[in-house]
Protein backbone atom coordinates (compact mmCIF):
# COMPACT_ATOMS: atom_id res chain seq x y z
CA UNK A 1 0.00 0.00 0.00
CA UNK A 2 1.30 3.46 -0.93
CA UNK A 3 1.42 6.33 1.56
CA UNK A 4 2.35 10.00 1.21
CA UNK A 5 4.50 11.47 3.98
CA UNK A 6 6.96 14.25 4.65
CA UNK A 7 10.38 13.31 5.95
CA UNK A 8 13.70 14.55 7.35
CA UNK A 9 16.84 12.73 6.23
CA UNK A 10 18.98 11.53 9.14
CA UNK A 11 21.64 9.21 7.71
CA UNK A 12 22.58 7.58 4.40
CA UNK A 13 24.72 4.43 4.30
CA UNK A 14 26.18 2.58 1.31
CA UNK A 15 24.44 -0.75 0.81
CA UNK A 16 25.99 -2.08 -2.39
CA UNK A 17 27.95 -0.80 -5.36
CA UNK A 18 25.01 1.33 -6.49
CA UNK A 19 22.45 1.29 -3.67
CA UNK A 20 22.04 2.99 -0.29
CA UNK A 21 20.00 2.60 2.87
CA UNK A 22 18.68 5.90 4.18
CA UNK A 23 17.19 6.53 7.60
CA UNK A 24 14.44 9.11 7.41
CA UNK A 25 12.38 10.54 10.24
CA UNK A 26 8.91 10.56 8.72
CA UNK A 27 5.79 12.43 9.74
CA UNK A 28 3.57 9.37 9.33
CA UNK A 29 5.71 6.47 10.57
CA UNK A 30 8.48 7.89 12.76
CA UNK A 31 12.06 6.83 12.04
CA UNK A 32 12.25 4.37 9.15
CA UNK A 33 14.97 2.77 7.01
CA UNK A 34 14.55 2.74 3.24
CA UNK A 35 16.61 0.94 0.62
CA UNK A 36 17.09 2.88 -2.62
CA UNK A 37 18.45 0.84 -5.48
CA UNK A 38 20.69 2.63 -7.97
CA UNK A 39 20.96 5.84 -5.92
CA UNK A 40 24.67 6.16 -6.75
CA UNK A 41 24.18 5.86 -10.51
CA UNK A 42 24.62 9.09 -12.55
CA UNK A 43 21.03 9.20 -13.83
CA UNK A 44 19.29 7.89 -10.71
CA UNK A 45 15.72 9.07 -10.18
CA UNK A 46 16.48 9.38 -6.46
CA UNK A 47 20.17 10.23 -6.16
CA UNK A 48 22.45 10.51 -3.17
CA UNK A 49 22.61 14.32 -3.35
CA UNK A 50 18.91 14.41 -2.50
CA UNK A 51 19.60 12.45 0.69
CA UNK A 52 22.00 14.75 2.54
CA UNK A 53 21.59 15.05 6.35
CA UNK A 54 18.56 17.14 7.39
CA UNK A 55 17.31 17.57 3.83
CA UNK A 56 13.52 17.89 3.84
CA UNK A 57 11.57 15.57 1.56
CA UNK A 58 8.13 14.68 0.27
CA UNK A 59 7.75 10.95 -0.34
CA UNK A 60 5.42 8.27 -1.56
CA UNK A 61 6.43 5.07 0.22
CA UNK A 62 5.52 1.42 0.52
CA UNK A 63 5.05 0.64 4.19
CA UNK A 64 4.87 -2.75 5.90
CA UNK A 65 3.99 -2.55 9.60
CA UNK A 66 6.56 -5.18 10.59
CA UNK A 67 9.18 -4.38 7.94
CA UNK A 68 12.74 -3.55 8.97
CA UNK A 69 13.59 -1.92 5.64
CA UNK A 70 10.96 -0.12 3.56
CA UNK A 71 10.92 1.09 -0.03
CA UNK A 72 10.29 4.48 -1.64
CA UNK A 73 8.19 4.92 -4.78
CA UNK A 74 8.77 8.67 -5.18
CA UNK A 75 10.91 11.28 -3.42
CA UNK A 76 11.57 14.97 -3.93
CA UNK A 77 13.28 17.65 -1.86
CA UNK A 78 10.52 19.92 -0.55
CA UNK A 79 11.18 22.59 0.34
CA UNK A 80 14.55 22.72 -1.39
CA UNK A 81 17.16 24.08 1.03
CA UNK A 82 18.54 27.35 -0.30
CA UNK A 83 21.42 28.23 2.04
CA UNK A 84 22.27 25.39 4.45
CA UNK A 85 24.26 23.31 1.92
CA UNK A 86 26.32 26.34 0.82
CA UNK A 87 26.84 28.36 4.02
CA UNK A 88 29.74 27.10 6.17
CA UNK A 89 28.21 28.15 9.50
CA UNK A 90 24.75 26.81 8.68
CA UNK A 91 26.09 23.52 7.32
CA UNK A 92 28.14 23.02 10.52
CA UNK A 93 25.06 23.77 12.64
CA UNK A 94 23.06 21.27 10.56
CA UNK A 95 25.79 18.63 10.93
CA UNK A 96 25.72 19.07 14.71
CA UNK A 97 21.90 19.02 14.97
CA UNK A 98 21.80 15.95 12.76
CA UNK A 99 24.20 14.05 15.02
CA UNK A 100 22.13 14.94 18.09
CA UNK A 101 18.84 14.02 16.42
CA UNK A 102 20.20 10.71 15.14
CA UNK A 103 21.09 9.72 18.70
CA UNK A 104 18.05 11.23 20.42
CA UNK A 105 15.09 10.44 18.14
CA UNK A 106 14.68 6.69 17.76
CA UNK A 107 10.96 5.98 17.82
CA UNK A 108 9.47 4.03 14.92
CA UNK A 109 6.04 5.41 15.64
CA UNK A 110 4.61 8.76 14.49
CA UNK A 111 5.18 11.82 16.66
CA UNK A 112 3.83 14.82 14.79
CA UNK A 113 4.82 17.30 17.50
CA UNK A 114 8.53 16.53 17.40
CA UNK A 115 8.41 16.15 13.61
CA UNK A 116 6.84 19.58 13.14
CA UNK A 117 9.32 21.17 15.55
CA UNK A 118 12.37 19.76 13.76
CA UNK A 119 10.98 20.36 10.26
CA UNK A 120 10.11 23.99 11.03
CA UNK A 121 13.45 24.60 12.78
CA UNK A 122 15.37 23.43 9.71
CA UNK A 123 13.31 25.75 7.51
CA UNK A 124 14.02 28.61 9.92
CA UNK A 125 17.74 27.89 9.89
CA UNK A 126 17.71 27.89 6.09
CA UNK A 127 16.13 31.36 5.99
CA UNK A 128 17.78 32.93 9.04
CA UNK A 129 20.39 35.67 8.64
CA UNK A 130 20.91 36.74 12.29
CA UNK A 131 21.38 34.94 15.60
CA UNK A 132 23.09 31.90 14.11
CA UNK A 133 25.73 31.65 16.84
CA UNK A 134 23.14 30.57 19.42
CA UNK A 135 20.73 28.71 17.14
CA UNK A 136 21.99 25.25 18.11
CA UNK A 137 21.77 26.04 21.83
CA UNK A 138 18.14 27.13 21.57
CA UNK A 139 17.34 24.10 19.41
CA UNK A 140 18.72 21.72 22.05
CA UNK A 141 16.84 23.48 24.84
CA UNK A 142 13.52 23.41 22.97
CA UNK A 143 13.98 19.83 21.77
CA UNK A 144 13.99 18.65 25.40
CA UNK A 145 10.33 19.67 25.57
CA UNK A 146 9.50 16.93 23.06
CA UNK A 147 11.91 14.36 24.46
CA UNK A 148 10.43 14.53 27.95
CA UNK A 149 13.05 16.29 30.08
CA UNK A 150 12.34 19.99 29.60
CA UNK A 151 13.60 21.99 32.64
CA UNK A 152 11.02 23.15 35.17
CA UNK A 153 10.85 25.02 38.45
CA UNK A 154 9.00 27.98 39.92
CA UNK A 155 12.15 29.78 41.11
CA UNK A 156 13.85 29.65 37.72
CA UNK A 157 14.17 33.40 37.19
CA UNK A 158 16.11 34.01 40.40
CA UNK A 159 17.73 30.61 40.90
CA UNK A 160 21.47 30.23 41.39
CA UNK A 161 21.62 26.59 40.33
CA UNK A 162 20.12 24.19 37.82
CA UNK A 163 20.15 20.53 38.84
CA UNK A 164 20.67 18.55 35.63
CA UNK A 165 19.83 15.23 37.25
CA UNK A 166 16.31 16.28 38.28
CA UNK A 167 15.85 19.02 35.69
CA UNK A 168 14.94 21.70 38.24
CA UNK A 169 16.17 25.15 39.24
CA UNK A 170 17.14 25.72 42.86
CA UNK A 171 18.52 28.34 45.20
CA UNK A 172 20.69 25.72 46.83
CA UNK A 173 23.64 23.78 45.48
CA UNK A 174 22.34 20.33 44.38
CA UNK A 175 23.63 17.12 45.93
CA UNK A 176 24.26 15.83 42.43
CA UNK A 177 27.62 16.52 40.75
CA UNK A 178 25.94 17.68 37.54
CA UNK A 179 24.58 21.19 37.78
CA UNK A 180 24.85 24.75 36.49
CA UNK A 181 26.00 27.53 38.80
CA UNK A 182 26.22 31.33 38.37
CA UNK A 183 26.57 32.96 35.87
CA UNK A 184 25.71 29.99 33.65
CA UNK A 185 22.33 29.38 35.32
CA UNK A 186 21.12 32.80 34.23
CA UNK A 187 22.41 32.30 30.67
CA UNK A 188 20.59 28.98 30.53
CA UNK A 189 17.38 30.56 31.83
CA UNK A 190 17.67 33.29 29.17
CA UNK A 191 17.78 30.58 26.50
CA UNK A 192 14.70 28.92 28.02
CA UNK A 193 12.76 32.14 27.67
CA UNK A 194 13.94 32.84 24.12
CA UNK A 195 12.59 31.75 20.75
CA UNK A 196 13.94 31.57 17.21
CA UNK A 197 12.46 34.99 16.48
CA UNK A 198 14.50 36.82 19.15
CA UNK A 199 17.54 34.53 19.47
CA UNK A 200 19.78 37.28 18.05
CA UNK A 201 19.11 39.26 21.26
CA UNK A 202 20.77 36.57 23.42
CA UNK A 203 24.29 37.79 24.15
CA UNK A 204 26.81 35.04 24.90
CA UNK A 205 30.55 35.12 24.35
CA UNK A 206 32.43 32.14 22.92
CA UNK A 207 33.47 30.78 26.32
CA UNK A 208 29.91 30.93 27.68
CA UNK A 209 28.59 29.29 24.53
CA UNK A 210 31.14 26.46 24.72
CA UNK A 211 30.39 25.86 28.39
CA UNK A 212 26.64 25.70 27.80
CA UNK A 213 26.86 23.36 24.82
CA UNK A 214 29.00 20.93 26.80
CA UNK A 215 26.60 21.05 29.72
CA UNK A 216 23.57 20.60 27.46
CA UNK A 217 25.15 17.54 25.88
CA UNK A 218 25.86 16.22 29.37
CA UNK A 219 22.20 16.86 30.21
CA UNK A 220 21.11 14.90 27.14
CA UNK A 221 23.43 12.00 27.97
CA UNK A 222 21.95 11.81 31.47
CA UNK A 223 18.39 11.53 30.19
CA UNK A 224 18.73 9.53 26.95
CA UNK A 225 19.96 5.97 27.23
CA UNK A 226 22.85 5.24 24.87
CA UNK A 227 23.23 8.87 23.80
CA UNK A 228 27.02 8.68 24.00
CA UNK A 229 29.47 11.33 22.85
CA UNK A 230 28.83 14.04 20.26
CA UNK A 231 31.87 15.07 18.25
CA UNK A 232 30.60 17.53 15.64
CA UNK A 233 30.18 20.36 18.17
CA UNK A 234 33.98 20.71 18.25
CA UNK A 235 33.98 21.60 14.54
CA UNK A 236 31.04 23.95 15.09
CA UNK A 237 32.80 25.72 17.95
CA UNK A 238 35.85 26.29 15.75
CA UNK A 239 33.70 27.79 13.00
CA UNK A 240 31.73 30.01 15.40
CA UNK A 241 34.87 31.00 17.32
Amino acid sequence: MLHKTRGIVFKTTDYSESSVVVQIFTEKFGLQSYIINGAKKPKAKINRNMLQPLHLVDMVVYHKANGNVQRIAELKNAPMLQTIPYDVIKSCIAMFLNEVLYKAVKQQTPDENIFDFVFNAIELLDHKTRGLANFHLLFLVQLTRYLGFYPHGKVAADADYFDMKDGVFSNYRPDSLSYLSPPHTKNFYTLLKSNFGNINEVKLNNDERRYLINKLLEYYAMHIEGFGNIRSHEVLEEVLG
Side-chain angles (χ1 to χ4, degrees), residues 91-141:
S91 61
C92 285
I93 292 172
M95 178 175 66
F96 169 72
L97 299 185
N98 177 247
E99 187 178 3
V100 170
L101 287 165
Y102 182 70
K103 293 188 173 187
V105 180
K106 302 173 184 177
Q107 62 263 41
Q108 294 181 306
T109 53
D111 188 330
E112 291 186 9
N113 289 328
I114 190 170
F115 180 89
D116 285 342
F117 166 73
V118 176
F119 196 98
N120 292 336
I122 296 166
E123 281 194 283
L124 280 169
L125 176 62
D126 195 47
H127 292 107
K128 204 157 185 58
T129 57
R130 302 170 61 199
L132 291 174
N134 296 320
F135 188 96
H136 59 302
L137 294 173
L138 180 58
F139 181 93
L140 289 194
V141 168

Side-chain angles (χ1 to χ4, degrees), residues 10 96-107 114 117-118 121 134-151 162-167 178-180 188 191-192 196 211-231 233:
F10 274 10
F96 169 72
L97 299 185
N98 177 247
E99 187 178 3
V100 170
L101 287 165
Y102 182 70
K103 293 188 173 187
V105 180
K106 302 173 184 177
Q107 62 263 41
I114 190 170
F117 166 73
V118 176
N134 296 320
F135 188 96
H136 59 302
L137 294 173
L138 180 58
F139 181 93
L140 289 194
V141 168
Q142 292 199 359
L143 182 61
T144 63
R145 188 186 298 276
Y146 304 94
L147 296 177
F149 51 98
Y150 186 75
F162 175 69
D163 183 342
M164 296 198 298
K165 179 182 177 182
D166 295 329
S178 298
Y179 60 85
L180 294 176
F188 182 54
L191 280 172
L192 282 175
F196 289 118
Y211 183 87
L212 280 178
I213 193 62
N214 281 300
K215 283 295 186 180
L216 275 167
L217 292 176
E218 183 182 336
Y219 186 48
Y220 267 65
M222 291 178 69
H223 293 276
I224 299 176
E225 185 177 354
F227 185 76
N229 294 322
I230 299 291
R231 294 184 174 86
H233 75 289

Side-chain angles (χ1 to χ4, degrees), residues 167-181:
V168 296
F169 288 89
S170 171
N171 288 321
Y172 306 97
R173 186 191 302 269
D175 293 331
S176 130
L177 296 177
S178 298
Y179 60 85
L180 294 176
S181 56

